[in-house]
Amino acid sequence: MTLDPNVFLAIVAMAAATVLTRIAGLVLIRFIAIGPQQKRALEAIPPAVLMAVIAPTALATGPAETLATLATAIAATRLPLLAAVAIGVFVVAIGRAMIGG
Amino acid sequence: MAPLTTAVVPIGLVFGAVAAAKGLSSLEAAMMSALVFAGGSQFVAMDIWMHPASWSALAFSALLVNIRHVLMGASIGMRMPAFSGPAKCAAVLLLADEIWAMAELRAGQTRLTPAWYAGLAIPFYCVWVLTSLAGSLVGAFLGDPKAIGLDFAFPAVFTVLVMSFWKGRETGAVLAASAAAAVLVYQLLPGVWYIAAGAAAGVVATLTRGRQREASA
């Protein structure tokens, strides 16, 4: 049970950023009206961020990861989160064992 | 509400296990879950974790990943006339995706009360922190998570989340722009700039398409 000062600082910084986003919504509705253009930009952020996070793994790491991402995406259209994730983990493990990774 | 709290158990365990594999102590893993309490950004943090930890890169990525909370908070804030000012603030501090979805659902059916919200959010919060702790204690004995593909759990969670945001061709344009920009910047620059590049490219793509549609209408 150790606490590295550097890690602690990183956790506090992440917490501060997250608190900011959570309180900002309440502040927003008191002062600002959001138009359709702003709404569309805000709505595009979550999928764009998530895609950016997985893109290097999905497209620039290896065939096992690309295959597993595809399998997870297809599974996600029919199965709940945990089942789709389990399929992705299974496919990447098999893929790495068979084609290296 | 019980199924929601049950569903968070395996995700908390996996978070703790991967945090342990990345070299975080159990105290650090549990502290991150307790203070940040936003699964998506915690998963991203583990994905980009370095030694020593870069607090600015991690805070920046948390800000980007959690920027959706601004919209979620604005939306649920308008459905909380029964809440006092401080209660509203406390409520949005516990605004995880799942809690937000349940609260929006509830607000559509009946009046949202502070007691109902606390009954939903507090057990969910406690289970998230405790399973993160348990996962990191167990994970330290699991060995290399890469051998059984466990390191792919987070990219897989994100893949499922991306699919849940799908709303048709406009989403396709956002995702294609984001992926292309992210891969390009990932190859060219160190650190997490690829996340900002992907986010910016996605926003530009949706605004450009919006203008095109207005021009042709």
Side-chain angles (χ1 to χ4, degrees), chain A residues 2-4 6 9 11 15 17-18 21-22 25 29 40 45-46 48 50-52 54 68-69 73 82 88-89 96, chain B residues 10 25 28 35-37 52 55 66-68 70 74 92-93 95 146 148-149 151 158 162-163 170 175 178 194 210 213:
Chain A
T2 55
L3 181 60
D4 181 87
N6 216 357
L9 178 65
I11 291 172
T18 309
T21 64
R22 285 183 168 149
I29 51 175
R40 201 159 50 225
I45 290 175
L50 291 169
M51 188 71 215
I54 56 174
T69 308
L82 278 175
V89 168
R96 282 172 184 167
Chain B
S25 73
E28 289 162 351
L35 293 180
V36 180
F37 185 56
W55 70 269
N66 292 328
I67 202 110
R68 68 184 187 285
V70 177
V92 294
L93 287 179
L95 201 64
K146 208 168 174 176
I148 48 170
D151 62 310
F158 294 139
V162 164
M163 297 303 283
E170 185 160 327
L175 296 183
S178 167
Y194 65 92
R213 215 169 32 199

Side-chain angles (χ1 to χ4, degrees), chain A residues 1-15 17-26 28-29 34 37-57 59-61 64-66 68-70 72-74 76-77 79-82 84-86 88-90 92-93 96 101, chain B residues 10-11 25-28 31-32 35-38 41 44-45 49 52-53 55 58-59 63-71 73-74 77-78 88-89 92-93 95 133 146 148-149 151-153 155-163 165 170 174-175 178-179 182-183 186-187 194-195 198-199 202-203 206-207 210-211 213-214:
Chain A
M1 286 274 180
T2 55
L3 181 60
D4 181 87
N6 216 357
V7 173
F8 180 69
L9 178 65
I11 291 172
V12 170
M14 284 177 68
T18 309
V19 164
L20 191 71
T21 64
R22 285 183 168 149
I23 296 292
L26 290 183
L28 203 67
I29 51 175
I34 303 177
Q37 193 84 330
Q38 289 85 336
K39 190 158 183 275
R40 201 159 50 225
L42 279 174
E43 273 174 355
I45 290 175
V49 169
L50 291 169
M51 188 71 215
V53 170
I54 56 174
T57 303
L59 302 170
T61 304
E65 284 76 11
T66 304
T69 308
L70 202 63
T72 310
I74 294 168
T77 61
L79 299 171
L81 178 107
L82 278 175
V85 170
V89 168
F90 181 72
V92 89
R96 282 172 184 167
Chain B
I11 304 176
S25 73
S26 299
L27 178 64
E28 289 162 351
M31 188 176 270
M32 187 184 286
L35 293 180
V36 180
F37 185 56
S41 59
V44 172
W49 195 263
W55 70 269
L58 289 162
L63 188 71
L64 285 175
V65 174
N66 292 328
I67 202 110
R68 68 184 187 285
H69 286 144
V70 177
L71 266 192
M78 291 191 279
K88 237 183 240 184
C89 283
V92 294
L93 287 179
L95 201 64
L133 179 65
K146 208 168 174 176
I148 48 170
D151 62 310
F152 192 74
V157 168
F158 294 139
T159 305
V160 176
L161 288 178
V162 164
M163 297 303 283
F165 280 108
E170 185 160 327
V174 170
L175 296 183
S178 167
V183 169
Y186 175 76
Q187 311 275 21
Y194 65 92
I195 297 178
V203 170
T206 199
L207 293 179
R211 279 215 193 93
R213 215 169 32 199
E214 276 158 29

Side-chain angles (χ1 to χ4, degrees), chain B residues 89-212:
Chain B
C89 283
V92 294
L93 287 179
L94 293 178
L95 201 64
D97 294 320
E98 298 84 354
I99 290 170
W100 173 73
M102 290 292 283
E104 287 279 348
L105 200 68
R106 174 83 174 182
Q109 296 158 347
T110 175
R111 193 178 168 84
L112 204 58
T113 63
W116 182 89
Y117 190 92
L120 171 71
I122 291 170
F124 188 93
Y125 176 84
C126 294
V127 168
W128 175 244
V129 176
L130 289 176
T131 53
S132 299
L133 179 65
S136 77
L137 291 171
V138 174
F141 298 100
L142 270 182
D144 183 13
K146 208 168 174 176
I148 48 170
L150 205 58
D151 62 310
F152 192 74
F154 295 155
V157 168
F158 294 139
T159 305
V160 176
L161 288 178
V162 164
M163 297 303 283
S164 74
F165 280 108
W166 187 266
K167 281 182 199 154
R169 270 168 52 196
E170 185 160 327
T171 317
V174 170
L175 296 183
S178 167
V183 169
L184 188 70
V185 172
Y186 175 76
Q187 311 275 21
L188 297 177
L189 292 177
V192 290
W193 289 108
Y194 65 92
I195 297 178
V203 170
V204 169
T206 199
L207 293 179
T208 313
R209 277 184 67 92
R211 279 215 193 93
Q212 276 170 0

